[in-house]
Amino acid sequence: MISETMAAALNEQMNYEFYSANIYLAMSAYCSAKGLDGFASWHYNQYLEEQLHAMKFYHYLLDQNQPVELDAMPKPKKDYGSPLSVFEQALAHERSVTARIYKLVDRALEERDHGTNSFLQWFVNEQVEEESTINGILDKLRLVESSGNGIFMVNNELGQRPAPQPLA
């Protein structure tokens, strides 16, 4: 059994993961409107992945016999600037997610909630991967700067990202 404060914090994170999904969907729409279908596809797949993350929290709460509390979320913005700016904003957002996950781990450790700590370790590792992936894309975008040919190549590469598989 988890504490009420832990359940509330996990519900808050679940809702933030849904918000993250909406941010990536908005980024996908922005890229699509700019004719950057590979960028749009990458962000759409990230949207799907963030929904899966939210559902992990959803199921964990239910498994712990805790209520799931869905909240309204802020509307994501519509304009993200250049391809480089889109990914800079994505990295900043992922860093905010990482900070939130770390706070949850700290809370679990303070409460000696070993089950929740174990559950959260998947997210700790996932955030390392998320930030690393976006940093790699940013490196490529900085390398090509605003070169049309370079953006075209990165766009094609990003379009090759497979859709995420449902989590077990």
Side-chain angles (χ1 to χ4, degrees):
M1 178 96 172
I2 62 176
S3 72
E4 287 183 21
T5 57
M6 180 59 74
L10 293 173
N11 265 297
E12 185 178 311
Q13 185 61 33
M14 176 193 64
N15 282 288
Y16 198 74
E17 297 288 343
F18 281 126
Y19 174 59
S20 295
N22 277 359
I23 289 172
Y24 282 112
L25 187 59
M27 288 177 169
S28 177
Y30 176 78
C31 291
S32 185
K34 297 295 181 185
L36 296 168
D37 293 339
F39 285 81
S41 176
W42 190 94
H43 284 94
Y44 182 78
N45 284 331
Q46 193 65 24
Y47 154 78
L48 294 173
E49 189 173 300
E50 297 300 331
Q51 286 188 318
L52 292 172
H53 295 173
M55 292 307 294
K56 281 183 76 81
F57 283 98
Y58 170 92
H59 288 293
Y60 184 76
L61 285 161
L62 292 176
D63 288 346
Q64 293 295 319
N65 201 31
Q66 295 295 321
V68 169
E69 299 175 16
L70 298 170
D71 295 331
M73 64 184 81
K75 183 177 177 179
K77 63 190 214 175
K78 296 186 294 185
D79 188 355
Y80 291 92
S82 69
L84 176 65
S85 178
V86 172
F87 278 95
E88 288 172 337
Q89 292 172 70
L91 179 60
H93 181 74
E94 288 300 334
R95 286 180 174 158
S96 75
V97 173
T98 299
R100 294 172 65 91
I101 296 295
Y102 287 0
K103 285 181 183 178
L104 286 171
V105 170
D106 290 344
R107 179 184 297 271
L109 292 172
E110 287 169 13
E111 293 187 12
R112 301 180 53 90
D113 182 347
H114 302 292
T116 301
N117 180 44
S118 178
F119 166 74
L120 291 170
Q121 292 310 305
W122 184 90
F123 289 96
V124 169
N125 294 325
E126 178 68 10
Q127 285 309 118
V128 170
E129 180 185 322
E130 297 279 20
E131 289 186 32
S132 176
T133 298
I134 294 173
N135 271 318
I137 295 167
L138 282 168
D139 287 344
K140 290 174 185 172
L141 288 171
R142 289 182 184 119
L143 183 66
V144 302
E145 294 179 2
S146 60
S147 161
N149 289 340
I151 297 294
F152 178 77
M153 291 174 66
V154 174
N155 183 61
N156 284 340
E157 180 182 332
L158 294 179
Q160 302 304 311
R161 178 185 181 187
Q165 298 301 308
L167 301 171

